[in-house]
Amino acid sequence: MSTHELLPEPYKIKVIEPIQAISRAQRQAAIDAAGYNTFLLRSDDVYIDLLTDSGTNAMSDSQWAWMMVGDEAYAGSRSFEHLRDAVQQVYGYRYVVPTHQGRGAEHILSKCLIRPGCVVPGNMYFTTTRLHQELAGGTFVDVIIDEAHDPDSQHPFKGNVDLEKLEKLTLEMDISKIPYITIGAPVNMAGGQPVSLENLRQVSEFCRARGIRVVLDAARAIENARLIQEREADQAGRPVKDILRDMCSLTDACTMSAKKDAFANIGGFLAVNDEGLFEEAKNLCAVYEGLHTYGGLAGRDMEALAQGLREAVERDEWVAHRISQVRYLWENLKERGIPLVHPCGGHAVFVDARRFLTHVPQSHYPAQSLSAAIYLDSGVRGMERGIVSAGRDPETRQEHEPELELVRLALPRRVYTQSHLDFVADGLRKTWLRRDEIPGLKFVFEPRYLRFFQARFAPIAAKARGGKREAALARGKQG
Ligand SMILES: *Cc1c(COP(=O)(O)O)cnc(C)c1O
């Protein structure tokens, strides 16, 4: 029993999906077969699935109802009009291009605005965002504040942009080579850490004075708005939807993965204020996604997304409950001694694998190994957010070595209950108690792009520490 505050669910349950835990021996076989990569596990072999909050949300009865009236016309679909109207109303951007998911919008935007030699600053990289920038010939430059790289820093807005870093970049290079800055709000890779409205205002002023566009990565902007409401002194008491509109008004465009905030299972969009950019994006949409009135989505998907967006901001309780669930899990893990990224973020709890597995060097992929060990101990699936996710420099092929070496436990929206969260916290405690036995990993297969999704690993038999038990365990796992 925990005493931590958890808001009651602002919904009741109408449909259920059975889940079942398999035995530890079966999990051992499953993680071996998956090459120690939780992305390669079968979902039937997972008990509590915290791999991602992307597209794993439970839809409301209204969203399901709207799916029945989806207009599946190839062109001029009424469902697109509903989506466009919802985006305009919730975020305030003028023009909307639908895409199959967030990376579709990132692809189109990168193709429209980036030329070889361009530099795109941002508040920490995101995997797909940076890859599309690189594939378009650009280079990503991190301008997030230093505190973001320190899991112990208590800074309430670790997603903030360091304006000195940004200014230095603009002084060092030809400004025409900086087409835009991307602002992730909150910053996924930093631990779901938010950006303050004040910082966004400063970034916006700085960039607008220099003709640099500000592009919001809006995947979880509603969660960021809630964290602003909680943490930014002069924003307490304002409705989330008003804070969100203020955030968007300080930016020129957004790329959106609607699989996050919008309670949808699929979908995304690019929204912009500039008509010329809209025309070009609309044209590329027809090349890569589908006609500009469906962008790779069925009419019913666009309806579910539009309703999800309206719902997400209609009452602050939705996002408040979600974040209270994340905080509840965070508090429970902290109480059990698990090293975590501080402060608690919006969509997930991030476990600090460096301090969890102090005997595993970064070159042996501690967060990858820890995510596999957590699965083995309790059937809970999280994912690596460390050196494996960071990948390699496209030119030198050297591995990026991020300071943060994390396992992310992301909470799907409206899916799990308090007792599931308690089970997860107890499960991680088991892993914590046997942490010394957990071996590092080596690659056995490394894909070229976004390697974390499809890579395969094998345990390294421990010798340096001479632990017989550890070595025996590693052998057991290989066999
Ligand atoms: C999920 C995500 C994306 C990419 O969106 P997809 O829908 O997965 O293609 C981009 N940025 C952030 C911050 C995300 O979390």
Side-chain angles (χ1 to χ4, degrees):
M1 266 295 284
S2 173
T3 52
H4 301 301
E5 183 202 11
L6 178 58
L7 297 175
E9 282 78 5
Y11 51 85
K12 57 183 178 175
I13 296 165
K14 176 142 54 184
V15 176
I16 56 99
E17 177 181 348
I19 52 174
Q20 207 173 0
I22 59 174
S23 71
R24 186 184 178 92
Q26 287 170 316
R27 289 197 296 271
Q28 179 70 67
I31 197 70
D32 277 337
Y36 287 74
N37 185 348
T38 53
F39 277 101
L40 300 180
L41 288 167
R42 298 169 61 244
S43 103
D44 280 350
D45 293 337
V46 174
Y47 183 45
I48 309 278
D49 201 351
L50 307 186
L51 182 74
T52 177
D53 61 331
S54 181
T56 53
N57 310 299
M59 294 208 297
S60 67
D61 49 359
S62 304
Q63 284 180 290
W64 282 107
W66 274 104
M67 287 188 78
M68 278 309 293
V69 291
D71 175 1
E72 306 302 343
Y74 189 96
S77 164
R78 153 183 91 234
S79 300
F80 169 68
E81 293 172 8
H82 293 164
L83 171 60
R84 179 200 59 204
D85 294 351
V87 173
Q88 288 170 343
Q89 187 196 327
V90 172
Y91 297 92
Y93 301 105
R94 219 166 284 152
Y95 304 106
V96 182
V97 178
T99 60
H100 76 286
Q101 60 185 84
R103 72 198 70 181
E106 292 170 344
H107 178 208
I108 292 175
L109 183 77
S110 300
K111 274 227 158 26
C112 287
L113 295 180
I114 298 174
R115 299 290 166 261
C118 279
V119 161
V120 188
N123 54 346
M124 199 172 273
Y125 85 99
F126 185 73
T127 52
T128 56
T129 317
R130 183 179 65 191
L131 178 60
H132 279 298
Q133 291 166 355
E134 289 172 352
L135 291 173
T139 305
F140 168 81
V141 176
D142 192 0
V143 293
I144 202 166
I145 58 172
D146 288 340
E147 286 87 340
H149 299 286
D150 172 8
D152 287 330
S153 163
Q154 301 289 334
H155 195 297
F157 292 104
K158 284 163 91 172
N160 281 355
V161 169
D162 184 330
L163 276 115
E164 278 176 28
K165 289 184 192 169
L166 181 59
E167 181 167 30
K168 187 158 168 281
L169 183 70
T170 61
L171 293 175
E172 276 168 2
M173 60 176 300
D174 176 0
I175 287 196
S176 71
K177 294 268 188 200
I178 308 179
Y180 62 96
I181 178 172
T182 49
I183 303 295
V187 182
N188 196 345
M189 304 302 284
Q193 303 293 332
V195 178
S196 72
L197 201 54
E198 187 194 5
N199 184 253
L200 202 51
R201 198 166 283 127
Q202 291 166 348
V203 170
S204 180
E205 264 170 36
F206 181 90
C207 290
R208 283 179 174 170
R210 288 162 181 79
I212 300 169
R213 284 188 172 91
V214 182
V215 176
L216 181 69
D217 181 334
R220 301 180 187 85
I222 296 171
E223 289 170 13
N224 195 102
R226 166 65 182 178
L227 292 168
I228 286 175
Q229 187 191 52
E230 285 184 354
R231 296 180 190 176
E232 199 160 342
D234 57 348
Q235 298 299 315
R238 293 187 66 210
V240 164
K241 67 175 187 326
D242 293 354
I243 298 173
L244 178 69
R245 283 296 290 262
D246 285 358
M247 288 168 59
C248 296
S249 72
L250 295 168
T251 69
D252 304 293
C254 83
T255 54
M256 174 68 174
S257 169
K259 305 171 72 172
K260 321 286 172 52
D261 265 353
F263 298 123
N265 298 128
I266 193 70
F269 53 83
L270 172 65
V272 303
N273 288 330
D274 175 327
E275 193 179 352
L277 177 57
F278 171 57
E279 286 300 335
E280 201 182 333
K282 199 162 71 162
N283 192 216
L284 286 184
C285 180
V287 178
Y288 294 109
E289 299 284 311
L291 192 64
H292 61 281
T293 56
Y294 72 87
L297 297 171
R300 55 181 171 270
D301 296 332
M302 293 192 282
E303 294 290 6
L305 200 175
Q307 172 58 21
L309 280 181
R310 292 189 293 263
E311 222 164 88
V313 296
E314 116 204 305
R315 290 193 281 142
D316 287 5
E317 280 94 327
W318 287 119
V319 65
H321 172 262
R322 166 176 183 52
I323 292 180
S324 96
Q325 266 203 332
V326 175
R327 191 167 301 130
Y328 176 85
L329 179 59
W330 188 88
E331 296 279 357
N332 277 288
L333 288 168
K334 193 172 87 157
E335 199 171 77
R336 285 163 175 75
I338 314 294
L340 303 171
V341 173
H342 289 242
C344 178
H347 65 298
V349 176
F350 291 74
V351 180
D352 186 351
R354 280 185 194 271
R355 279 190 297 150
F356 202 116
L357 300 182
T358 49
H359 60 286
V360 180
Q362 191 170 32
S363 56
H364 293 177
Y365 311 110
Q368 187 72 38
S369 176
L370 179 56
S371 63
I374 290 169
Y375 168 74
L376 179 61
D377 290 337
S378 46
V380 173
R381 170 157 73 168
M383 75 154 84
E384 195 263 8
R385 294 274 85 155
I387 186 170
V388 178
S389 294
R392 293 180 184 275
D393 182 289
E395 306 258 300
T396 66
R397 302 305 297 160
Q398 287 295 307
E399 283 187 311
H400 293 293
E401 292 172 355
E403 280 170 61
L404 295 176
E405 185 66 29
L406 311 174
V407 172
R408 187 184 79 172
L409 304 170
L411 292 194
R413 293 165 191 77
R414 313 192 284 204
V415 171
Y416 291 117
T417 64
Q418 181 168 2
S419 40
H420 288 129
L421 302 181
D422 291 342
F423 178 89
V424 171
D426 290 341
L428 261 81
R429 176 78 187 163
K430 277 190 259 170
T431 309
W432 174 246
L433 293 176
R434 69 165 192 99
R435 61 192 179 278
D436 291 344
E437 303 168 357
I438 298 168
L441 299 174
K442 59 181 186 230
F443 267 103
V444 292
F445 170 65
E446 181 181 354
R448 183 169 182 86
Y449 301 113
L450 304 173
R451 63 181 186 171
F452 57 96
F453 281 134
Q454 292 152 335
R456 305 182 70 83
F457 302 83
I460 298 174
K463 21 185 168 27
R465 286 170 42 109
K468 273 185 209 153
R469 204 168 155 214
E470 193 175 347
L473 206 102
R475 272 197 305 277
K477 277 177 186 170
Q478 276 169 320

mmCIF file of all heavy atoms in Angstrom, residues 49-83:
data_model
loop_
_atom_site.group_PDB
_atom_site.id
_atom_site.type_symbol
_atom_site.label_atom_id
_atom_site.label_comp_id
_atom_site.label_asym_id
_atom_site.label_seq_id
_atom_site.Cartn_x
_atom_site.Cartn_y
_atom_site.Cartn_z
ATOM 1 N N ASP A 49 2.953 -3.640 -20.328
ATOM 2 C CA ASP A 49 3.721 -3.123 -21.460
ATOM 3 C C ASP A 49 3.937 -1.616 -21.334
ATOM 4 O O ASP A 49 3.055 -0.818 -21.675
ATOM 5 C CB ASP A 49 2.997 -3.463 -22.769
ATOM 6 C CG ASP A 49 3.959 -3.417 -23.949
ATOM 7 O OD1 ASP A 49 5.111 -2.953 -23.771
ATOM 8 O OD2 ASP A 49 3.562 -3.850 -25.048
ATOM 9 N N LEU A 50 5.129 -1.246 -20.864
ATOM 10 C CA LEU A 50 5.479 0.176 -20.723
ATOM 11 C C LEU A 50 6.560 0.541 -21.746
ATOM 12 O O LEU A 50 7.376 1.422 -21.515
ATOM 13 C CB LEU A 50 5.942 0.465 -19.294
ATOM 14 C CG LEU A 50 4.976 0.012 -18.168
ATOM 15 C CD1 LEU A 50 5.487 0.496 -16.817
ATOM 16 C CD2 LEU A 50 3.551 0.519 -18.402
ATOM 17 N N LEU A 51 6.551 -0.189 -22.870
ATOM 18 C CA LEU A 51 7.526 0.095 -23.928
ATOM 19 C C LEU A 51 7.370 1.537 -24.378
ATOM 20 O O LEU A 51 8.337 2.260 -24.562
ATOM 21 C CB LEU A 51 7.296 -0.843 -25.121
ATOM 22 C CG LEU A 51 8.276 -0.678 -26.280
ATOM 23 C CD1 LEU A 51 9.640 -1.256 -25.946
ATOM 24 C CD2 LEU A 51 7.745 -1.333 -27.560
ATOM 25 N N THR A 52 6.145 1.945 -24.598
ATOM 26 C CA THR A 52 5.906 3.283 -25.131
ATOM 27 C C THR A 52 4.478 3.721 -24.824
ATOM 28 O O THR A 52 3.596 2.885 -24.583
ATOM 29 C CB THR A 52 6.139 3.308 -26.657
ATOM 30 O OG1 THR A 52 5.835 4.614 -27.155
ATOM 31 C CG2 THR A 52 5.282 2.291 -27.387
ATOM 32 N N ASP A 53 4.268 5.025 -24.845
ATOM 33 C CA ASP A 53 2.925 5.601 -24.743
ATOM 34 C C ASP A 53 2.453 6.015 -26.132
ATOM 35 O O ASP A 53 1.522 6.795 -26.274
ATOM 36 C CB ASP A 53 2.939 6.822 -23.812
ATOM 37 C CG ASP A 53 3.851 7.925 -24.318
ATOM 38 O OD1 ASP A 53 4.851 7.613 -25.002
ATOM 39 O OD2 ASP A 53 3.578 9.110 -24.046
ATOM 40 N N SER A 54 3.118 5.501 -27.167
ATOM 41 C CA SER A 54 2.839 5.921 -28.543
ATOM 42 C C SER A 54 1.854 4.979 -29.216
ATOM 43 O O SER A 54 2.199 3.835 -29.521
ATOM 44 C CB SER A 54 4.148 5.936 -29.330
ATOM 45 O OG SER A 54 3.901 6.360 -30.651
ATOM 46 N N GLY A 55 0.642 5.454 -29.425
ATOM 47 C CA GLY A 55 -0.357 4.649 -30.127
ATOM 48 C C GLY A 55 -0.934 3.544 -29.262
ATOM 49 O O GLY A 55 -1.718 2.726 -29.730
ATOM 50 N N THR A 56 -0.570 3.506 -27.989
ATOM 51 C CA THR A 56 -1.004 2.437 -27.089
ATOM 52 C C THR A 56 -2.116 2.910 -26.159
ATOM 53 O O THR A 56 -2.408 2.280 -25.147
ATOM 54 C CB THR A 56 0.190 1.954 -26.242
ATOM 55 O OG1 THR A 56 0.779 3.091 -25.600
ATOM 56 C CG2 THR A 56 1.248 1.289 -27.100
ATOM 57 N N ASN A 57 -2.725 4.039 -26.470
ATOM 58 C CA ASN A 57 -3.752 4.619 -25.607
ATOM 59 C C ASN A 57 -5.082 3.897 -25.745
ATOM 60 O O ASN A 57 -5.375 3.309 -26.778
ATOM 61 C CB ASN A 57 -3.962 6.088 -26.013
ATOM 62 C CG ASN A 57 -2.656 6.830 -26.098
ATOM 63 O OD1 ASN A 57 -1.942 6.945 -25.113
ATOM 64 N ND2 ASN A 57 -2.316 7.322 -27.284
ATOM 65 N N ALA A 58 -5.906 3.987 -24.696
ATOM 66 C CA ALA A 58 -7.274 3.477 -24.789
ATOM 67 C C ALA A 58 -8.158 4.624 -25.287
ATOM 68 O O ALA A 58 -8.164 5.713 -24.708
ATOM 69 C CB ALA A 58 -7.748 3.001 -23.424
ATOM 70 N N MET A 59 -8.904 4.374 -26.341
ATOM 71 C CA MET A 59 -9.791 5.418 -26.869
ATOM 72 C C MET A 59 -11.075 5.488 -26.058
ATOM 73 O O MET A 59 -11.491 4.508 -25.440
ATOM 74 C CB MET A 59 -10.099 5.145 -28.339
ATOM 75 C CG MET A 59 -8.864 5.259 -29.230
ATOM 76 S SD MET A 59 -9.273 5.738 -30.915
ATOM 77 C CE MET A 59 -10.268 4.377 -31.445
ATOM 78 N N SER A 60 -11.716 6.642 -26.118
ATOM 79 C CA SER A 60 -12.980 6.830 -25.396
ATOM 80 C C SER A 60 -14.145 6.284 -26.229
ATOM 81 O O SER A 60 -14.007 6.024 -27.432
ATOM 82 C CB SER A 60 -13.210 8.317 -25.139
ATOM 83 O OG SER A 60 -13.418 8.983 -26.378
ATOM 84 N N ASP A 61 -15.302 6.148 -25.591
ATOM 85 C CA ASP A 61 -16.495 5.718 -26.338
ATOM 86 C C ASP A 61 -16.818 6.731 -27.448
ATOM 87 O O ASP A 61 -17.234 6.360 -28.540
ATOM 88 C CB ASP A 61 -17.686 5.484 -25.393
ATOM 89 C CG ASP A 61 -17.949 6.623 -24.421
ATOM 90 O OD1 ASP A 61 -17.193 7.624 -24.442
ATOM 91 O OD2 ASP A 61 -18.898 6.509 -23.623
ATOM 92 N N SER A 62 -16.570 8.014 -27.200
ATOM 93 C CA SER A 62 -16.833 9.012 -28.251
ATOM 94 C C SER A 62 -15.898 8.825 -29.443
ATOM 95 O O SER A 62 -16.306 8.976 -30.595
ATOM 96 C CB SER A 62 -16.639 10.433 -27.720
ATOM 97 O OG SER A 62 -17.436 10.649 -26.609
ATOM 98 N N GLN A 63 -14.630 8.505 -29.152
ATOM 99 C CA GLN A 63 -13.709 8.286 -30.277
ATOM 100 C C GLN A 63 -14.162 7.094 -31.115
ATOM 101 O O GLN A 63 -14.166 7.158 -32.346
ATOM 102 C CB GLN A 63 -12.281 8.045 -29.756
ATOM 103 C CG GLN A 63 -11.576 9.313 -29.299
ATOM 104 C CD GLN A 63 -10.178 9.004 -28.788
ATOM 105 O OE1 GLN A 63 -10.013 8.400 -27.730
ATOM 106 N NE2 GLN A 63 -9.167 9.395 -29.537
ATOM 107 N N TRP A 64 -14.557 6.011 -30.439
ATOM 108 C CA TRP A 64 -15.034 4.839 -31.187
ATOM 109 C C TRP A 64 -16.293 5.193 -31.983
ATOM 110 O O TRP A 64 -16.470 4.737 -33.113
ATOM 111 C CB TRP A 64 -15.319 3.672 -30.232
ATOM 112 C CG TRP A 64 -14.054 2.969 -29.799
ATOM 113 C CD1 TRP A 64 -13.460 3.035 -28.579
ATOM 114 C CD2 TRP A 64 -13.221 2.125 -30.606
ATOM 115 N NE1 TRP A 64 -12.306 2.284 -28.566
ATOM 116 C CE2 TRP A 64 -12.131 1.703 -29.799
ATOM 117 C CE3 TRP A 64 -13.281 1.684 -31.931
ATOM 118 C CZ2 TRP A 64 -11.117 0.868 -30.267
ATOM 119 C CZ3 TRP A 64 -12.270 0.844 -32.395
ATOM 120 C CH2 TRP A 64 -11.212 0.443 -31.568
ATOM 121 N N ALA A 65 -17.159 6.003 -31.396
ATOM 122 C CA ALA A 65 -18.389 6.377 -32.101
ATOM 123 C C ALA A 65 -18.064 7.184 -33.357
ATOM 124 O O ALA A 65 -18.627 6.957 -34.431
ATOM 125 C CB ALA A 65 -19.291 7.179 -31.164
ATOM 126 N N TRP A 66 -17.105 8.106 -33.236
ATOM 127 C CA TRP A 66 -16.729 8.913 -34.408
ATOM 128 C C TRP A 66 -16.130 8.049 -35.518
ATOM 129 O O TRP A 66 -16.254 8.369 -36.701
ATOM 130 C CB TRP A 66 -15.740 10.016 -34.001
ATOM 131 C CG TRP A 66 -16.440 11.256 -33.514
ATOM 132 C CD1 TRP A 66 -16.571 11.674 -32.231
ATOM 133 C CD2 TRP A 66 -17.113 12.228 -34.329
ATOM 134 N NE1 TRP A 66 -17.281 12.849 -32.178
ATOM 135 C CE2 TRP A 66 -17.632 13.209 -33.450
ATOM 136 C CE3 TRP A 66 -17.347 12.356 -35.705
ATOM 137 C CZ2 TRP A 66 -18.354 14.316 -33.903
ATOM 138 C CZ3 TRP A 66 -18.060 13.461 -36.159
ATOM 139 C CH2 TRP A 66 -18.565 14.409 -35.258
ATOM 140 N N MET A 67 -15.502 6.952 -35.137
ATOM 141 C CA MET A 67 -14.905 6.094 -36.169
ATOM 142 C C MET A 67 -15.962 5.546 -37.128
ATOM 143 O O MET A 67 -15.697 5.322 -38.304
ATOM 144 C CB MET A 67 -14.134 4.934 -35.523
ATOM 145 C CG MET A 67 -12.831 5.422 -34.908
ATOM 146 S SD MET A 67 -11.777 4.090 -34.338
ATOM 147 C CE MET A 67 -11.064 3.514 -35.868
ATOM 148 N N MET A 68 -17.184 5.351 -36.613
ATOM 149 C CA MET A 68 -18.252 4.825 -37.459
ATOM 150 C C MET A 68 -18.684 5.813 -38.539
ATOM 151 O O MET A 68 -19.242 5.419 -39.561
ATOM 152 C CB MET A 68 -19.483 4.474 -36.600
ATOM 153 C CG MET A 68 -19.438 3.128 -35.912
ATOM 154 S SD MET A 68 -19.033 1.746 -36.994
ATOM 155 C CE MET A 68 -20.477 1.685 -38.040
ATOM 156 N N VAL A 69 -18.472 7.096 -38.295
ATOM 157 C CA VAL A 69 -18.932 8.075 -39.290
ATOM 158 C C VAL A 69 -17.776 8.612 -40.123
ATOM 159 O O VAL A 69 -17.917 9.614 -40.827
ATOM 160 C CB VAL A 69 -19.736 9.230 -38.635
ATOM 161 C CG1 VAL A 69 -21.067 8.713 -38.125
ATOM 162 C CG2 VAL A 69 -18.961 9.908 -37.526
ATOM 163 N N GLY A 70 -16.607 7.940 -40.056
ATOM 164 C CA GLY A 70 -15.478 8.354 -40.883
ATOM 165 C C GLY A 70 -15.864 8.381 -42.354
ATOM 166 O O GLY A 70 -16.550 7.492 -42.833
ATOM 167 N N ASP A 71 -15.433 9.416 -43.039
ATOM 168 C CA ASP A 71 -15.696 9.541 -44.475
ATOM 169 C C ASP A 71 -14.460 9.036 -45.217
ATOM 170 O O ASP A 71 -13.408 9.660 -45.165
ATOM 171 C CB ASP A 71 -15.968 11.020 -44.804
ATOM 172 C CG ASP A 71 -16.138 11.266 -46.292
ATOM 173 O OD1 ASP A 71 -16.072 10.292 -47.083
ATOM 174 O OD2 ASP A 71 -16.324 12.442 -46.667
ATOM 175 N N GLU A 72 -14.610 7.894 -45.890
ATOM 176 C CA GLU A 72 -13.454 7.267 -46.526
ATOM 177 C C GLU A 72 -13.238 7.735 -47.968
ATOM 178 O O GLU A 72 -12.589 7.043 -48.762
ATOM 179 C CB GLU A 72 -13.580 5.726 -46.460
ATOM 180 C CG GLU A 72 -13.803 5.164 -45.055
ATOM 181 C CD GLU A 72 -12.700 5.521 -44.050
ATOM 182 O OE1 GLU A 72 -11.605 5.921 -44.479
ATOM 183 O OE2 GLU A 72 -12.955 5.412 -42.831
ATOM 184 N N ALA A 73 -13.745 8.892 -48.320
ATOM 185 C CA ALA A 73 -13.511 9.424 -49.669
ATOM 186 C C ALA A 73 -12.013 9.648 -49.892
ATOM 187 O O ALA A 73 -11.318 10.096 -48.987
ATOM 188 C CB ALA A 73 -14.252 10.747 -49.838
ATOM 189 N N TYR A 74 -11.545 9.353 -51.098
ATOM 190 C CA TYR A 74 -10.121 9.561 -51.396
ATOM 191 C C TYR A 74 -9.782 11.041 -51.293
ATOM 192 O O TYR A 74 -8.752 11.423 -50.752
ATOM 193 C CB TYR A 74 -9.797 9.054 -52.809
ATOM 194 C CG TYR A 74 -8.316 9.043 -53.099
ATOM 195 C CD1 TYR A 74 -7.571 7.879 -52.929
ATOM 196 C CD2 TYR A 74 -7.657 10.193 -53.533
ATOM 197 C CE1 TYR A 74 -6.212 7.864 -53.173
ATOM 198 C CE2 TYR A 74 -6.291 10.187 -53.770
ATOM 199 C CZ TYR A 74 -5.568 9.018 -53.592
ATOM 200 O OH TYR A 74 -4.218 9.004 -53.820
ATOM 201 N N ALA A 75 -10.673 11.872 -51.841
ATOM 202 C CA ALA A 75 -10.382 13.312 -51.886
ATOM 203 C C ALA A 75 -11.495 14.104 -51.216
ATOM 204 O O ALA A 75 -12.673 13.753 -51.320
ATOM 205 C CB ALA A 75 -10.225 13.764 -53.337
ATOM 206 N N GLY A 76 -11.112 15.156 -50.544
ATOM 207 C CA GLY A 76 -12.095 16.065 -49.952
ATOM 208 C C GLY A 76 -12.890 15.452 -48.815
ATOM 209 O O GLY A 76 -14.043 15.836 -48.571
ATOM 210 N N SER A 77 -12.301 14.528 -48.077
ATOM 211 C CA SER A 77 -13.018 13.840 -47.000
ATOM 212 C C SER A 77 -13.491 14.814 -45.923
ATOM 213 O O SER A 77 -12.736 15.668 -45.462
ATOM 214 C CB SER A 77 -12.087 12.787 -46.384
ATOM 215 O OG SER A 77 -12.586 12.373 -45.135
ATOM 216 N N ARG A 78 -14.741 14.629 -45.525
ATOM 217 C CA ARG A 78 -15.315 15.421 -44.433
ATOM 218 C C ARG A 78 -14.528 15.177 -43.137
ATOM 219 O O ARG A 78 -14.370 16.061 -42.314
ATOM 220 C CB ARG A 78 -16.778 14.986 -44.329
ATOM 221 C CG ARG A 78 -17.487 15.105 -43.022
ATOM 222 C CD ARG A 78 -18.902 14.546 -43.176
ATOM 223 N NE ARG A 78 -18.908 13.118 -42.835
ATOM 224 C CZ ARG A 78 -19.364 12.155 -43.614
ATOM 225 N NH1 ARG A 78 -19.891 12.399 -44.798
ATOM 226 N NH2 ARG A 78 -19.317 10.898 -43.215
ATOM 227 N N SER A 79 -13.982 13.963 -42.986
ATOM 228 C CA SER A 79 -13.205 13.657 -41.778
ATOM 229 C C SER A 79 -11.935 14.501 -41.724
ATOM 230 O O SER A 79 -11.489 14.886 -40.642
ATOM 231 C CB SER A 79 -12.855 12.173 -41.739
ATOM 232 O OG SER A 79 -14.041 11.414 -41.733
ATOM 233 N N PHE A 80 -11.356 14.790 -42.878
ATOM 234 C CA PHE A 80 -10.203 15.694 -42.880
ATOM 235 C C PHE A 80 -10.616 17.073 -42.378
ATOM 236 O O PHE A 80 -9.884 17.700 -41.607
ATOM 237 C CB PHE A 80 -9.569 15.812 -44.269
ATOM 238 C CG PHE A 80 -8.570 16.947 -44.324
ATOM 239 C CD1 PHE A 80 -7.377 16.863 -43.602
ATOM 240 C CD2 PHE A 80 -8.842 18.118 -45.024
ATOM 241 C CE1 PHE A 80 -6.476 17.914 -43.594
ATOM 242 C CE2 PHE A 80 -7.940 19.173 -45.015
ATOM 243 C CZ PHE A 80 -6.751 19.078 -44.303
ATOM 244 N N GLU A 81 -11.776 17.540 -42.800
ATOM 245 C CA GLU A 81 -12.235 18.867 -42.336
ATOM 246 C C GLU A 81 -12.378 18.870 -40.817
ATOM 247 O O GLU A 81 -12.010 19.840 -40.150
ATOM 248 C CB GLU A 81 -13.558 19.241 -43.006
ATOM 249 C CG GLU A 81 -13.390 19.474 -44.505
ATOM 250 C CD GLU A 81 -14.713 19.653 -45.232
ATOM 251 O OE1 GLU A 81 -15.772 19.744 -44.577
ATOM 252 O OE2 GLU A 81 -14.666 19.687 -46.484
ATOM 253 N N HIS A 82 -12.873 17.780 -40.268
ATOM 254 C CA HIS A 82 -13.007 17.696 -38.805
ATOM 255 C C HIS A 82 -11.635 17.749 -38.129
ATOM 256 O O HIS A 82 -11.450 18.413 -37.112
ATOM 257 C CB HIS A 82 -13.742 16.414 -38.404
ATOM 258 C CG HIS A 82 -15.176 16.396 -38.838
ATOM 259 N ND1 HIS A 82 -15.936 15.250 -38.880
ATOM 260 C CD2 HIS A 82 -15.999 17.398 -39.265
ATOM 261 C CE1 HIS A 82 -17.160 15.539 -39.311
ATOM 262 N NE2 HIS A 82 -17.208 16.834 -39.549
ATOM 263 N N LEU A 83 -10.692 17.026 -38.721
ATOM 264 C CA LEU A 83 -9.337 17.023 -38.160
ATOM 265 C C LEU A 83 -8.727 18.426 -38.249
ATOM 266 O O LEU A 83 -8.194 18.950 -37.273
ATOM 267 C CB LEU A 83 -8.462 16.003 -38.909
ATOM 268 C CG LEU A 83 -6.973 16.048 -38.576
ATOM 269 C CD1 LEU A 83 -6.721 15.791 -37.090
ATOM 270 C CD2 LEU A 83 -6.196 15.025 -39.406
#
